[in-house]
Amino acid sequence: MEEISCAASYTAPGPYPEVRAGERNQRYGQAMLSNVGGSVSEMGAIARYLYGHVTQEGRPEIAECFHHIAVVEMHHLAIFSELARQLGEDPRLWSPFRGGRRYWTPEYLRYPRKLEHLLRYALEEERGTIQKYNQQALWIRDGNILANLERIIADEQVHVQILTGLLESYCAQG
């Protein structure tokens, strides 16, 4: 089996936009909170890649990829947390839920041990995240929040490319 090395870059090219929300907006703030600590969130991504990192002891190149992707996801978490704060929300690891708040929980995750399942799960979650952020971009009218969403989506697309390459290289069916 041909192994591929993980990408030299785990982010899309170019700088991140300034993290500066316009005026306070509860609806936008709650969307950013869901990106921080919802069932599909940056905290979930960090935990997923941390789990992948520590369970791939026999595959250091994959463990390294998961580590680097987790670092990028931490940056996204910081961006969304700061935007939520600027929009008037308390940026805890929680999200709006049925008129209240629900704290992020590791129960949101699956914990596959088999590499193919782990990679497919990570791909599914990255694609779901991209879809979620694209949906937010349809109704959010704050230009800076949109710029940050678009930049983070570009990073998530890089992660999809990396994970797809790993899946093709390590789990090719034939």
Side-chain angles (χ1 to χ4, degrees):
M1 154 180 8
E2 178 186 335
E3 292 184 4
I4 62 169
S5 62
C6 213
S9 178
Y10 303 88
T11 64
Y16 286 88
E18 181 181 1
V19 180
R20 179 189 35 78
E23 59 190 42
R24 287 181 177 233
N25 182 310
Q26 184 180 24
R27 187 168 182 225
Y28 295 176
Q30 289 181 349
M32 297 304 102
L33 282 180
S34 78
N35 298 345
V36 168
S39 60
V40 175
S41 67
E42 297 299 327
M43 188 61 221
I46 294 163
R48 182 174 54 256
Y49 291 117
L50 174 63
Y51 179 76
H53 171 74
V54 300
T55 60
Q56 295 304 307
E57 63 275 352
R59 297 182 184 96
E61 64 287 350
I62 292 176
E64 179 184 344
C65 286
F66 286 154
H67 167 80
H68 289 294
I69 294 172
V71 170
V72 175
E73 304 293 4
M74 283 186 260
H75 186 79
H76 298 167
L77 180 71
I79 290 169
F80 286 133
S81 295
E82 179 59 23
L83 286 170
R85 187 194 64 74
Q86 291 175 12
L87 291 161
E89 296 293 333
D90 184 356
R92 298 180 192 190
L93 293 177
W94 62 5
S95 65
F97 183 76
R98 296 184 182 168
R101 306 276 190 216
R102 174 182 273 178
Y103 279 96
W104 181 85
T105 173
E107 291 178 345
Y108 288 149
L109 304 178
R110 289 177 283 173
Y111 296 93
R113 293 290 305 246
K114 187 175 177 186
L115 178 61
E116 180 177 0
H117 297 159
L118 184 63
L119 291 169
R120 288 189 188 283
Y121 169 50
L123 262 171
E124 175 186 322
E125 292 297 312
E126 289 287 352
R127 289 177 176 141
T129 299
I130 291 167
Q131 181 179 9
K132 177 183 180 180
Y133 297 166
N134 276 322
Q135 287 297 312
Q136 290 174 351
L138 292 175
W139 58 268
I140 291 176
R141 298 290 176 243
D142 181 306
N144 185 263
I145 295 172
L146 285 173
N148 277 283
L149 279 168
E150 290 167 359
R151 180 60 175 82
I152 290 169
I153 289 167
D155 286 349
E156 304 299 4
Q157 291 168 333
V158 169
H159 300 165
V160 166
Q161 291 171 347
I162 293 168
L163 294 166
T164 300
L166 291 172
L167 188 62
E168 289 171 357
S169 178
Y170 288 86
C171 305
Q173 296 178 354

